[in-house]
Amino acid sequence: MRNNRRVITAISALALTGVGLAACGGGDGGSGSGSGSDGTLRLGLGEPQNLIPANIQETEGGEIADRLYAGLYTYDMEGNLAPVLADGVPTTEDNKVWTIKLQEGFTFQNGEEITAETFVKSWNYTVYGENANYGAGFFKQIDGWAEMQLGEDPDGDGPEEAAKPEATELSGVKAVDPLTLEVTLAEPWVGFPVTLGYTAFMPMADECLADIDACNETPIGNGPYKIDGKWNHNSSIHMEKWADYKGTQPSIERIEYKIYTGDATAWPDFEAGKIDIAAPGAEEYEVAKAEYGDAMREEETGQTWGLGFPVYDEKFSDPNVRKAFSMAIDRQGYIDGLFQGRYTVANSYTPAVIPGYLEGTCGEACTFDPEAAKQLLADTDFPMDQPVELWVNSGPGEDYLKVLGDQLAANLGITYELKTLEWPDFLGKKDGHELTGPFLTGWSPDYPLNQNYLEPLYGNGPDGNDFGFHGEEFEQLLAEGNRAETLSDAMTKYQEAEKVLAADLPVAPIWVTRTATVIGENVDPDSFQRNPILGTIDINSLKLL
Amino acid sequence: MTVELDRQGSHNGYVEGLPGYRDDAPLLEVEDLQVEFHTRDGVARAVNGVDFSLRAGETLAVVGESGSGKSVTAQAIMGILEEPPARVAGGEIRFRGVDLLKLSAERRRRIRANHVAMVFQDALSALNPVWTVGFQLGELFRKHRGMSRKDARRRAVELLDMVRIPAAAQRVDEYPHQFSGGMRQRVMIAMALALDPEVLIADEPTTALDVTVQAQIMRLLSDIQAERHMGLILITHDLGVVADVADDITVMYAGRAVEQANVRDTFASPAHPYTKALLRSIPRLDVKGQRLEVIAGLPPVLTDIPPGCAFAPRCGYAQDVCRTERPPLSTVTAGRSAACHFASEVMTDDVN
Amino acid sequence: MSSDINERVVEGIDEERERPQRAAGLWRDAIRDLRKRPTVIISLLIILVVLAIGFFPSLFTDVDPKACDISRNKAPAEPGHPFGFSHEGCDYFAQTVYGAGPSVQLSLMVVTGTLIVGGLFGILAGFYGGWVDVLFSRAVDVFNSIPFLLGAILLLTMFRDIQMPFVGARLQAIIPAVITLIIFGWTSTMRLVRASVIEARNLDYVHAARSLGASNARLMFRHILPNAVAPVVSLIPLSIAGMISVEATLSFLGLGVRKPEITWGLMIDDATKWFVNGYPMLLIIPSAFLIATVLAFVLLGDAIRDALDPKLR
Amino acid sequence: MGRYVIRRLLQAVLTLFFVLFLLHYLLSLAIQVNGNPARTFFGDKPATPEQIAAVEAKFGTDDPCLDRLGDPCLGMFQQRMADWMTLDFGTNFDGYAVTDEIVRAVPPTLILFAISTSVWVLFGVTTGVLAAMKRGRFFDYLVRAGTTFTVAVPTFLLLVITQQLVGVSLGNWARDTFGRESVLGIVFQPSYDDRYPFLSLLVPGILLGAFGIAGITRLSRTSMLENLRADFVRTAKAKGLTSRRVTIVHTLRNSLIPVITLVGFTLADALGGTVITEGIYSIPGMGGLAYNATRENDLPVVIAIVAILSVCFMVVTLLIDLLYAVLDPRIRYE
């Protein structure tokens, strides 16, 4: 299942994967003992789409990449940049040209050395338009990106092919010497280093680039683990510790992922003792909590959900209408009732785990007050006689939106209709401003910076945004943040932008996902921690009993 | 000749060891046979006290409309009634003095085909469509005589030959549906005769056939009967056939025998109005220009046979007594009996 | 009639197919037979109740099934709410009552549709034979070769956003599923009708009617159809039962009728995971209703089939 | 016989062609109505038209006909059929060869079907036949009640409940008692285990067999009943054969003929059942592949799967017809 293709399922995907969907795998040679004693960690996972860093886009692939690959940087538990292959943080004079130093001696698992040139080649491959890599978008701010993309299609979707990209190399990326990489941005941006922990920036071996398809089946990594055998699609991925890894060596010798297909989850297998760490689903949560108690860990994530408004639609163009809708939502009741209270009420646009988080930016608008909401709505021109159309893509989100609709109907006195679309149709209509009512929308972080929750979603880039939202002051503050000298200055500006945004309320934030993870008896529960940004288990600290 | 070979077969004398066996007892005697069917509409008395006896070399015709109980009687004798819903409620069926109804199922099974065999009316449905004729014939030898497949097949060819099927050696491997109606009935007869039984029951053996073929089959049957000195029970509603081949006749109505006599006497002067009506309903070559009569009305519902004479509602001779009192089957003249209050009057056609 | 019984009882072996002349007697017998069976009576009662609930839910509850309060999620039964509340905080009794409607209406519409389409095609194919028959029979092959589920997914996702004029929200919710099920369901009816029509076509009385100059339409609908109808009739309750189950299965797969409409299938889908996690009643209640309804239709269908074909009893 | 087979094969090829075209048209229509799946590659993230164009090219959904509602996209169909002639079945949206995907998915589903078919044949037919032999007795009522109930209980309900009760509860007991790798510990588990494909598919296979078993049991029973009353069975009894021989040689074979047809059709219908079974037990088989591909409008995969299924369906019907002819000589000589 491609969880990422259904936004909504992504919630469960994060919950599950991060947590390790659960898996049983099984020792080769028929180990008669239970898991754990043989130094093997058994986890569950959904089927990844791709194992090439350039193309990894969902949590499943991210989980595997996190084990097999090492990037320049990763994010620590507080969301700060932590060097892995790099030697120290990037340096810059003007926030436009960035210099990244590499540590010496790192190699790929096939013996190839990792140098600055490796990154140049990997990134060129990732960005080149015809390769249609998902990761290409993360390089947008680097100079020369546009020239690497396909040219304009002369007749839209007509029979003629779009023009080939003008360039085959990213002009903004240079290997100054084997251990020095120089990146030039199109515009100065102090936040650039923060993005470098993302999977798309991970290096790929020459051998891999020469035959990407083969590499996808049997990845050539450079991380703490290497693949054992190959990717058994829909079935399993096994990996073992790579002794020659120069970074921190983890304690677990072997990891076996069992892949779950369809809507199946690892939970029953966890209960059957066949995998070591798993996430209970919403329905299993209460029972799991009662049964496993201390072995259950709950952690905040960076995934936020809210009710988006079609600001472009006349009915919802009045901020007071949006505010009334938002105030009519009993967020705590909603979370308690639908999610057994395991999620956190969102009262800001940025979640708490992200640097730059500011509490309560949504303020009064995110406070449940049905009387005031009703009054507020009555004072607008909102047509009460027509049913409000609520839009969602098919999947579990239908339930989430239905319960929201129930609350809105009860507290505002409106009636609602649920409009369910298939995912591509939903995305298309959202892009094209064709949704005629509020819709469910969620966001997971690409990099730990509050700007990631603002500019990509509500900014007015070349394609506008899904909400049809225009905020002069908001744009202004974002731009100031981008041009700031230091990261903390930038964050402050972004926070100001968030406050301005909250006053206009293009989205009513509702909840921030929290994961629940149950740790099996073979794993030391005190060694368990989950990286809130990556969503993955910190494998370096994890210990088996 | 096969016949002699068979007589020396190991089977002979199976029945001799059974309780009640007497060499000099009549070949087959049926006494007060009663068969009921338990249906959801109630208990239907399909056979309600039938008596007759059969001697070796003799042909007994059993006639009556459909539903009169003649087929059920035959199946009761064979022991192939479907139980339930059927149940033999009383009476005896004695073969050479052995009461078949008292035998265990296994003994009963061994009597079948060995001593008493049956020819069914519609050979197409009575033969298993998915096995070859040779298999179905040979099976008898293999299962009753323990012969090898090869020997059984050889005997099957001989049997087919005996019933005058041309090119028997080739046709033995064909399936029933590849035979014509007459040929199929010959196969059926061959099957019944395979183990050389003393009693052969033929249940309307020619109804499904063309008239010309009917005659051939009847001739074959009577030839073989004469040759082997078998007792033959011929169940039919074709009185024309009866006149040609039968010695005695039992006329059945609503589960009872209503008249029993020598065929010639019966045809000359029926002693029961029903027999009379039956005789009138067959076309006769010797009486021209006369309308054929049909019997008015329907036979009674077997779950609810009226008191008195069952034929009374349809009987032109019926009096009050007929509707209240059931006439027993009683001797009218020597060797003749009828179940009618006015048997002698009917016989002399002297009723108002 | 009496002779019928005699023949059946006495010969005991009557394998004969119902002859057209006997069709009337057959039905009379069948109905007489059906009236005597307790299972038929009970099934009919259940079916009547379910139909009543399905078409007039408001007679059975005053509670609005769509007035849900999430704070009462999975709350136990209390006065006025005999079945408690769903995981979305909706009154479960009202949901169960209103959930009957789409299930029942959908299955009735599908069965009617397949009977009309399949029956018509079957008559045409069986009666005219030749290229008409070839055409329809090939079409049956084609539809049989497309796995029902794949076809259903495609059609249901395509129809989802199509707005139908003059149709209420409730019908709007079930019509895509109805159309899909008809498209993939008509083939079996068609084959059955075709076979019966071919059999009936060659009967003497049809030849007689033809020689008397009866028109094709008259032959088809007045002479052949009534005699081809028996095998189809006993299938109707069974098809309805099947469709109710199919609706539940489609809902389980996230296809079929969508929220906020209520069907038993959706309720069961929502409740399956709660069953093993402390709230078994959420699953048991709609399942019990569904199973009882399906059971009633199956038993009725069986009884009709037995009555029409007594030897199978 | 030979001519009959050839005629059937020609018919099958023609049907297959229509099936493929119909499906191609439906899928094209689905894309035209629901939007190009290439857009989903970027999820909620904004993407430039150029980026989307590149992904459309990668997905093979860049034909402009997919933007025109109702266009049958004949060119695409022609191209696909031409590719197929060269045994090129294309790649799915993730760039993997469709052939590989299907080859991987076939074995578990095949095992699943093998188990279910055994259930139908061994359990369904046997109980049906026994019920017919004991007509009107307790066993018969039990079987009739049982089959009626199986029809009424949706398969998925059975699967979800069994997974928990058998896979987890009973399985944990078995694993504690007999050991983790014991046969029972593996048989009673909540999901597919690729180290023990057969054992771990036993329970889901049996449950999939529950789908359609009612029909087979009932048909076996009626068919047996009908034949038990057949004239030729009476003849066999009159031949003094033992009741065992009467049943086995003279009734069973005749009764199995219609049952075999039904087993074939049930097998074809059971694909729906596999989707659910495979989904709940996480079996990487054809049902799940077909289901996901259809939901994602993954054209190359869906068309290829349906082609395979159609061919299977046709082969199965052909085999059934041949088997029919073997069992029933009346047909053989027509």
Side-chain angles (χ1 to χ4, degrees), chain B residues 64-65 204:
Chain B
E65 287 170 288
E204 315 223 8

Side-chain angles (χ1 to χ4, degrees), chain A residues 282-284 286-287 333-334 336-338 340 394 398-399 402-403 406-407 416 418-422 429, chain C residues 66 68 70 73-74 87-88 90 95 157 160-161 163 169 258-260 270 273-274 276-279:
Chain A
E283 293 90 349
E284 286 118 7
E286 279 181 358
V287 171
Y334 180 78
D336 287 345
L338 197 59
Q340 283 68 58
S394 61
E398 293 173 54
D399 280 24
K402 178 194 176 280
V403 177
D406 290 341
Q407 282 203 352
Y416 73 95
L418 218 52
K419 309 289 269 181
T420 317
L421 297 175
E422 287 303 300
K429 285 208 162 65
Chain C
K66 292 185 184 172
C68 308
I70 186 68
N73 76 90
K74 306 190 293 293
H87 81 288
E88 289 168 348
C90 312
Q95 291 245 315
T157 54
R160 177 160 306 157
D161 199 30
Q163 299 292 326
R258 313 301 292 234
K259 288 184 178 180
D270 278 346
K273 285 222 160 176
W274 292 114
V276 290
N277 288 302
Y279 302 93

Side-chain angles (χ1 to χ4, degrees), chain A residues 127-325:
Chain A
V127 175
Y128 187 65
E130 285 203 329
N131 295 335
N133 284 317
Y134 177 76
F138 290 89
F139 295 80
K140 258 184 185 167
Q141 63 277 20
I142 296 176
D143 201 26
W145 185 83
E147 287 74 31
M148 294 280 282
Q149 302 307 305
L150 291 183
E152 194 125 332
D153 195 340
D155 52 353
D157 268 319
E160 280 183 59
E161 297 273 318
K164 292 234 175 204
E166 292 165 29
T168 54
E169 286 175 11
L170 205 51
S171 58
V173 180
K174 283 197 184 68
V176 177
D177 62 56
L179 294 179
T180 311
L181 194 63
E182 189 187 274
V183 180
T184 310
L185 303 184
E187 298 290 330
W189 181 33
V190 70
F192 172 69
V194 179
T195 64
L196 290 172
Y198 195 77
T199 331
F201 293 93
M202 286 173 168
M204 290 173 281
D206 284 348
E207 190 185 335
C208 187
L209 292 176
D211 189 348
I212 282 288
D213 288 345
C215 186
N216 188 36
E217 301 300 316
T218 316
I220 302 165
N222 66 331
Y225 288 89
K226 66 177 191 198
I227 195 153
D228 174 20
K230 62 179 185 54
W231 174 10
N232 300 312
H233 286 270
N234 293 317
S235 177
S236 63
I237 295 176
H238 295 177
M239 46 181 75
E240 52 197 17
K241 198 153 87 174
W242 181 44
D244 296 337
Y245 179 56
K246 244 196 92 207
T248 316
Q249 284 277 349
S251 78
I252 293 167
E253 288 293 325
R254 185 176 168 82
I255 307 177
E256 295 182 350
Y257 287 97
K258 175 171 177 175
I259 297 176
Y260 290 85
T261 56
D263 292 332
T265 69
W267 187 251
D269 270 347
F270 175 79
E271 288 190 291
K274 310 203 88 171
I275 65 157
D276 294 324
I277 298 176
E283 293 90 349
E284 286 118 7
Y285 175 75
E286 279 181 358
V287 171
K289 195 171 188 173
E291 193 171 336
Y292 297 102
D294 290 347
M296 178 139 106
R297 296 298 156 89
E298 295 188 58
E299 285 132 335
E300 292 289 324
T301 70
Q303 193 178 52
T304 60
W305 287 85
L307 189 65
F309 296 104
V311 178
Y312 48 81
D313 190 290
E314 205 185 319
K315 281 191 281 181
F316 291 93
S317 57
D318 182 348
N320 281 340
V321 170
R322 309 199 285 267
K323 193 172 172 190
F325 270 70

Side-chain angles (χ1 to χ4, degrees), chain C residues 16-180:
Chain C
E16 213 171 344
R17 295 260 154 177
E18 309 88 52
R19 278 165 298 178
Q21 304 87 284
R22 282 174 52 183
L26 182 81
W27 286 106
R28 213 165 47 214
D29 269 5
I31 289 166
R32 203 179 62 120
D33 183 282
L34 288 174
R35 276 204 307 248
K36 282 196 231 157
R37 295 164 168 236
T39 50
V40 172
I41 311 281
I42 295 169
S43 303
L44 275 176
L45 279 178
I46 294 177
I47 290 169
L48 282 179
V49 170
V50 170
L51 288 179
I53 294 176
F55 286 97
F56 309 105
S58 51
L59 295 179
F60 294 83
T61 176
D62 298 330
V63 182
D64 178 359
K66 292 185 184 172
C68 308
D69 178 358
I70 186 68
S71 65
R72 314 183 83 167
N73 76 90
K74 306 190 293 293
E78 59 183 63
H81 304 285
F83 290 172
F85 294 86
S86 77
H87 81 288
E88 289 168 348
C90 312
D91 178 74
Y92 222 47
F93 180 72
Q95 291 245 315
T96 309
V97 166
Y98 278 85
S103 302
V104 169
Q105 289 164 13
L106 175 137
S107 51
L108 289 181
M109 284 162 78
V110 172
V111 171
T112 316
T114 50
L115 282 181
I116 292 173
V117 176
L120 190 67
F121 289 177
I123 292 172
L124 292 176
F127 185 80
Y128 286 107
W131 66 266
V132 182
D133 188 21
V134 171
L135 194 73
F136 284 122
S137 298
R138 279 313 103 215
V140 167
D141 280 357
V142 168
F143 278 93
N144 279 344
S145 304
I146 296 181
F148 165 73
L149 201 72
L150 298 194
I153 297 168
L154 280 176
L155 289 178
L156 286 173
T157 54
M158 281 192 311
F159 282 131
R160 177 160 306 157
D161 199 30
I162 293 173
Q163 299 292 326
M164 274 159 284
F166 317 118
V167 174
R170 187 161 202 204
L171 279 181
Q172 180 96 46
I174 65 173
I175 278 181
V178 169
I179 294 173
T180 307

Side-chain angles (χ1 to χ4, degrees), chain B residues 33-304:
Chain B
L33 181 67
Q34 307 204 5
V35 183
E36 303 170 344
F37 280 80
H38 293 258
T39 71
R40 293 184 312 129
D41 298 307
V43 177
R45 302 184 184 285
V47 176
N48 215 343
V50 167
D51 305 73
F52 58 76
S53 74
L54 178 71
R55 289 175 301 277
E58 186 192 63
T59 300
L60 168 70
V62 180
V63 298
E65 287 170 288
S66 63
S68 61
K70 46 192 202 308
S71 287
V72 176
T73 307
Q75 288 176 33
I77 296 170
M78 287 300 293
I80 55 171
L81 279 171
E82 208 184 322
E83 292 171 283
R87 190 175 79 89
V88 177
E92 287 187 2
I93 300 171
R94 290 189 297 274
F95 178 78
R96 291 275 183 224
V98 179
D99 185 356
L100 299 180
L101 295 177
K102 291 202 175 64
L103 295 181
S104 68
E106 175 59 15
R107 286 180 164 175
R108 196 81 200 275
R109 176 179 77 74
R110 295 181 145 218
I111 302 279
R112 290 201 276 275
N114 267 319
H115 294 286
V116 187
M118 186 158 172
V119 174
F120 296 95
Q121 56 171 310
D122 179 6
L124 180 59
S125 63
L127 291 171
N128 193 326
V130 305
W131 298 109
T132 62
V133 159
F135 176 91
Q136 295 186 57
L137 283 170
E139 185 177 41
L140 284 159
F141 298 110
R142 283 167 48 219
K143 296 300 153 189
H144 285 281
R145 298 281 187 277
M147 282 189 197
S148 69
R149 256 170 210 280
K150 209 177 130 202
D151 290 345
R153 186 175 180 281
R154 183 176 51 78
R155 296 299 304 271
V157 176
E158 286 170 10
L159 278 173
L160 291 181
D161 223 22
M162 183 192 76
V163 294
R164 294 164 212 163
I165 289 178
Q170 285 91 56
R171 305 215 68 182
V172 72
D173 291 326
E174 291 185 2
Y175 290 90
H177 70 276
Q178 292 168 287
F179 286 76
S180 69
M183 289 297 146
R184 266 198 295 266
Q185 196 53 276
R186 283 168 197 267
V187 172
M188 195 77 236
I189 291 170
M191 199 176 284
L193 294 174
L195 302 184
D196 202 18
E198 287 96 323
V199 176
L200 182 65
I201 304 171
D203 187 358
E204 315 223 8
T206 59
T207 11
L209 303 174
D210 289 345
V211 183
T212 46
V213 184
Q214 277 185 6
Q216 292 168 11
I217 294 293
M218 280 320 300
R219 196 173 321 123
L220 177 72
L221 263 181
S222 58
D223 285 358
I224 290 172
Q225 185 216 5
E227 209 172 285
R228 302 194 175 191
H229 203 63
M230 289 188 306
L232 175 65
I233 298 176
L234 181 66
I235 295 172
T236 183
H237 56 251
D238 186 345
L239 290 172
V241 172
V242 174
D244 288 342
V245 298
D247 302 308
D248 290 341
I249 185 167
T250 292
V251 180
M252 289 188 68
Y253 186 79
R256 291 176 198 279
V258 292
E259 178 162 3
Q260 286 184 325
N262 175 294
V263 167
R264 201 170 312 145
D265 294 346
T266 308
F267 273 56
S269 55
H272 193 281
Y274 178 62
T275 318
K276 201 167 197 148
L278 274 183
L279 284 171
R280 279 206 209 112
S281 65
I282 50 170
R284 292 173 63 169
L285 294 173
D286 51 339
V287 187
K288 291 194 177 170
Q290 189 183 324
R291 279 189 61 193
L292 281 180
E293 289 184 28
V294 287
I295 308 175
L298 289 169
V301 182
L302 293 175
T303 47
D304 187 23

Side-chain angles (χ1 to χ4, degrees), chain D residues 124-129 132 215-225 255-256 259:
Chain D
V125 174
T126 315
T127 43
V129 166
I216 287 164
T217 310
R218 284 157 161 246
L219 186 66
S220 308
R221 179 180 171 275
T222 21
S223 172
M224 192 73 187
L225 271 187
S255 311
L256 287 184
V259 177

